[in-house]
Amino acid sequence: GRLFKMFVQHIVGVDLSPLMIEKSRATQCYDALYGAYAPPFSALFSWKSKNLADELLPVLHALPDASIDLVLSADVWIYVGALELVFQACRRVMKPDGNISSSSVTSSSFMAFSIEEFHDPISPDEPHLEYQLVHSGRFQHSRRYIERLASEYSFRVIAVESIVVRHESVEPIPGVLYVLQAV
């Protein structure tokens, strides 16, 4: 929120963790924060909810069509397996002709996010998987899956970069950073 506040008029944050909601609230960078314990959406969520889509989708469904210029999701999709409903909801609320204040970016809305990378073994003997739940309790997604969703939900892939999303027990976790443009 702190990094983007100067570039936008309104910032909405969604998180599973009540602690992160409180930390975010303390920054005073967000105009609205939603999660399992943050009104007005708290009545829609189970206190046992562990799937970020359960938190995010009601917020996105409550927003008007074409009302968002930018969706940022850093290390978020690891808590969501199937991303179809998320992509669909994000695309619905994204403006077809956004107003991002930058000399190089003025004509569309964008979605930027990271994923943990899933390397799907392509073999005729093995079933094709687009994402998987790993021992950490997080999901990994394949590049092919993200590219398919981008195409199906009217996004253009603007940037793809291999990154390390985090370290676990000093081991780097490979990931991918995406920037998609609503078309």
Side-chain angles (χ1 to χ4, degrees):
R2 257 178 279 188
L3 296 173
F4 285 89
K5 187 66 175 174
M6 68 181 98
F7 300 107
V8 299
Q9 294 177 353
H10 190 78
I11 297 179
V12 174
V14 181
D15 205 293
L16 273 175
S17 166
L19 179 60
M20 288 309 298
I21 293 288
E22 290 311 312
K23 282 186 170 198
S24 298
R25 186 173 283 121
T27 68
Q28 299 182 354
C29 293
Y30 293 87
D31 298 296
L33 288 163
Y34 303 109
Y37 304 101
F41 295 101
S42 58
L44 299 174
F45 310 129
S46 161
W47 68 273
K48 294 180 180 180
S49 174
K50 297 293 183 205
N51 184 340
L52 184 61
D54 294 340
E55 310 296 329
L56 180 60
L57 289 173
V59 174
L60 288 170
H61 291 310
L63 294 171
D65 290 357
S67 61
I68 300 292
D69 293 308
L70 178 63
V71 174
L72 293 174
S73 306
D75 215 18
V76 171
W77 303 143
I78 60 171
Y79 299 109
V80 182
L83 295 173
E84 283 82 356
L85 294 176
V86 173
F87 267 65
Q88 180 182 37
C90 285
R91 186 60 187 92
R92 183 191 63 77
V93 300
M94 293 174 73
K95 293 179 182 177
D97 297 306
N99 299 322
I100 297 175
S101 301
S102 167
S103 59
S104 63
V105 178
T106 58
S107 63
S108 273
S109 53
F110 293 83
M111 184 162 75
F113 58 92
S114 62
I115 60 165
E116 276 190 25
E117 188 166 10
F118 170 47
H119 295 283
D120 182 19
I122 300 172
S123 166
D125 300 333
E126 296 183 34
H128 168 66
L129 298 174
E130 296 180 308
Y131 60 90
Q132 69 175 355
L133 182 63
V134 294
H135 69 284
S136 67
R138 295 181 175 114
F139 287 94
Q140 295 176 336
H141 300 87
S142 72
R143 290 181 186 224
R144 185 175 19 181
Y145 181 51
I146 299 302
E147 290 164 11
R148 178 178 69 77
L149 292 177
S151 176
E152 286 181 18
Y153 293 101
S154 300
F155 288 103
R156 179 181 303 123
V157 178
I158 299 298
V160 180
E161 183 177 330
S162 294
I163 60 171
V164 172
V165 291
R166 88 184 79 66
H167 286 81
E168 288 182 11
S169 302
V170 303
E171 290 296 318
I173 304 300
V176 184
L177 177 66
Y178 281 92
V179 177
L180 306 181
Q181 179 182 22
V183 292

